[in-house]
Amino acid sequence: MTQTSGPLKPFAKVLGLMFEYIYRFFAHFGIENVGIVIIVFVLIVKLCMFPMTIKQQKFSKMNTIMQPELEAIRKKYEGKKDNESMAAMNNETSEVYKKYGVSPTGGCLNMLIQIPIMFALYRVVMNIPAYVPQIKIHYTNIINSIGASNLLNNSVVKDVANSNHLSLEKLSGNTEISNRIVDVLYKFNSDNWKSLKGAFDGSADIITKNVHSIDKANSFLGMNLTQSPKYLVGNHVYIAILIPILAALTQFISSKMSMADTQGKDDGSDNPMAASLKSMTYTMPLLSLWMCYSFATCIGIYWIVSSVFQMFSTIIVNKYFEKTPIEKLVQESQERAQKRRESLGIDDESIKKAASINSKKINSFEQKAQEAKDNYEKLQAEKNNTPKKGSIADKANLVDKYK
């Protein structure tokens, strides 16, 4: 199967190796189950990212404490667009962040680090055979038995490829062709496998044997994780409907808890960011409901485990913050910020000096701009007051000039 390419490739490669080793570990004890591996895999990755989660939630906590002061500064300079006011507002805002030992980009930086990891994690779960040779071998056994060229010309393979936007054109080399066919076969449901066996009677036994192994590895709580809840419910596997419901519910609870932690006592009515987060609290669960109903069930398992872990991590971190005095949190943040500045060779005097120089530059620029404007207006006034050549006023001026 084709592995993820592009910027996510190195992240997916590392996570894919982790997934393979976890699968091999359980297989050593006779447990070859993708559902269990997904749960353990997501928990391990989330635990590795837990320090960043703590930093993110701490930033949210500190931001809640700072918000009244930041809001007061914003209102103080509301409607003032001149450079001097903007510079003053930025300086006062920076002083507030410095006072609490928080970087304005702290929350964004942690999110930027986590985003590629989370997307790569999603891609690994979506393309499990690409990263687990023990599962991929069952698909390659079928390909070797039927023949790649025969599969490329099969109507069932073409239909599944088209419905999943997988191109079978312009493939070069046996490896690329084989990987693309595995991509398609991974999307097969039980009806597709039946049709394929009917089309290739000579390979029916090999197809049956390998599909049995594939289904066994992907069977979890009576559901085939490679098939969508939509398909499973249509085939009377009604327990599958719980997957999208639980995914949406856990997503909503997790978002609500994070929103409460970020928003604090402020209702967010005057805060555009808070309003955006509030909107996402309701839109994201709806998105997860649709995705986890339409896509492979393994995505729903991944989504539920991620949301449940986020809920518990929020509770644990909040419990810690509740027991820790605000003064101590601020002091720790200030000390860390001071150490960062010292490691970069930045001292407070340099920051103040830079701010003073920038302020002087802004004032100097404004003075020069005002002088240029005054000179232009003076020239325009002189031009407008210049009498027409040959007129009585022009001759009078000429007389005055040579008196």
Side-chain angles (χ1 to χ4, degrees):
M1 193 172 190
T2 308
Q3 293 190 358
T4 299
S5 58
L8 293 176
K9 184 177 180 177
F11 297 97
K13 190 76 175 176
V14 173
L15 294 175
L17 285 171
M18 286 178 60
F19 195 99
E20 181 191 350
Y21 288 137
I22 295 168
Y23 187 91
R24 287 168 61 181
F25 173 79
F26 281 102
H28 183 73
F29 297 98
I31 303 172
E32 297 186 52
N33 189 280
V34 170
I36 294 173
V37 175
I38 288 174
I39 293 171
V40 175
F41 173 61
V42 173
L43 289 176
I44 290 175
V45 174
K46 287 286 189 177
L47 282 170
C48 292
M49 295 171 63
F50 192 59
M52 286 185 281
T53 303
I54 293 175
K55 287 184 179 180
Q56 178 68 33
Q57 290 184 239
K58 186 173 183 179
F59 177 83
S60 299
K61 188 76 173 178
M62 298 300 293
N63 194 54
T64 303
I65 298 168
M66 295 186 300
Q67 200 56 44
E69 294 182 44
L70 295 174
E71 188 65 23
I73 294 171
R74 190 179 70 82
K75 289 183 177 179
K76 178 181 175 181
Y77 292 97
E78 192 172 8
K80 297 179 181 179
K81 301 297 182 182
D82 59 284
N83 289 333
E84 191 171 351
S85 297
M86 295 293 288
M89 184 177 74
N90 289 336
N91 286 334
E92 289 183 30
T93 302
S94 298
E95 285 298 318
V96 173
Y97 278 103
K98 181 184 169 185
K99 172 183 172 182
Y100 290 96
V102 176
S103 169
T105 59
C108 297
L109 184 60
N110 286 320
M111 285 296 292
L112 288 174
I113 294 172
Q114 293 182 60
I115 284 172
I117 297 175
M118 296 311 300
F119 274 109
L121 179 64
Y122 170 79
R123 293 306 306 170
V124 170
V125 173
M126 280 286 288
N127 302 292
I128 290 173
Y131 300 95
V132 183
Q134 294 86 342
I135 294 178
K136 184 178 180 179
I137 189 65
H138 298 302
Y139 292 98
T140 55
N141 287 340
I142 295 171
I143 294 171
N144 292 335
S145 175
I146 298 174
S149 59
N150 292 330
L151 285 168
L152 288 174
N153 293 315
N154 179 259
S155 60
V156 178
V157 173
K158 288 181 179 179
D159 290 342
V160 173
N162 290 332
S163 62
N164 288 277
H165 308 289
L166 297 169
S167 176
L168 298 175
E169 304 294 331
K170 299 180 181 179
L171 299 174
S172 59
N174 294 331
T175 301
E176 186 179 356
I177 293 171
S178 178
N179 285 337
R180 181 51 53 87
I181 295 174
V182 173
D183 290 340
V184 178
L185 296 180
Y186 186 59
K187 306 297 182 183
F188 267 36
N189 56 41
S190 56
D191 293 332
N192 298 141
W193 286 120
K194 287 177 184 177
S195 299
L196 193 68
K197 281 191 286 185
F200 300 100
D201 293 333
S203 299
D205 291 340
I206 292 176
I207 295 173
T208 300
K209 181 182 176 181
N210 284 279
V211 168
H212 175 74
S213 299
I214 292 169
D215 289 345
K216 183 181 177 182
N218 287 288
S219 179
F220 185 73
L221 300 177
M223 299 174 290
N224 188 325
L225 297 183
T226 64
Q227 297 170 358
S228 69
K230 181 180 179 180
Y231 176 83
L232 291 173
V233 171
N235 284 270
H236 313 296
V237 185
Y238 298 113
I239 191 175
I241 196 64
L242 292 176
I243 298 299
I245 292 173
L246 287 174
L249 183 61
T250 53
Q251 174 77 48
F252 176 75
I253 296 172
S254 175
S255 300
K256 199 73 174 174
M257 290 171 67
S258 299
M259 182 68 183
D261 182 55
T262 304
Q263 189 170 304
K265 295 179 181 180
D266 182 17
D267 63 1
S269 56
D270 296 327
N271 191 333
M273 184 176 291
S276 176
L277 288 172
K278 188 175 181 180
S279 174
M280 288 180 65
T281 302
Y282 296 96
T283 55
M284 283 302 292
L286 293 175
L287 175 64
S288 65
L289 180 70
W290 173 75
M291 286 185 64
C292 296
Y293 181 70
S294 304
F295 295 163
T297 306
C298 59
I299 297 302
I301 300 295
Y302 154 79
W303 211 295
I304 292 167
V305 176
S306 297
S307 296
V308 170
F309 183 92
Q310 185 63 38
M311 287 161 54
F312 278 102
S313 65
T314 301
I315 292 170
I316 292 169
V317 174
N318 282 346
K319 287 289 183 184
Y320 168 75
F321 286 145
E322 285 174 6
K323 293 179 180 180
T324 306
I326 297 298
E327 295 78 9
K328 185 180 178 181
L329 289 175
V330 174
Q331 185 181 353
E332 289 175 353
S333 295
Q334 289 173 337
E335 289 173 356
R336 271 195 287 269
Q338 183 62 33
K339 287 180 181 178
R340 282 198 300 270
R341 287 197 292 269
E342 289 174 358
S343 65
L344 295 171
I346 302 171
D347 54 69
D348 295 342
E349 195 61 37
S350 299
I351 295 173
K352 290 179 181 178
K353 187 176 180 181
S356 175
I357 291 171
N358 287 337
S359 180
K360 287 178 181 178
K361 284 181 178 179
I362 290 170
N363 291 335
S364 175
F365 176 79
E366 288 184 340
Q367 287 173 1
K368 288 179 180 179
Q370 188 62 43
E371 288 175 5
K373 183 180 178 183
D374 292 342
N375 289 335
Y376 176 76
E377 290 177 350
K378 185 177 179 181
L379 288 170
Q380 287 294 107
E382 289 177 356
K383 183 179 178 181
N384 292 335
N385 292 330
T386 301
K388 187 177 180 181
K389 190 172 182 180
S391 65
I392 296 174
D394 180 48
K395 290 177 180 178
N397 286 339
L398 190 64
V399 171
D400 288 338
K401 182 177 179 181
Y402 293 101
K403 272 184 179 180

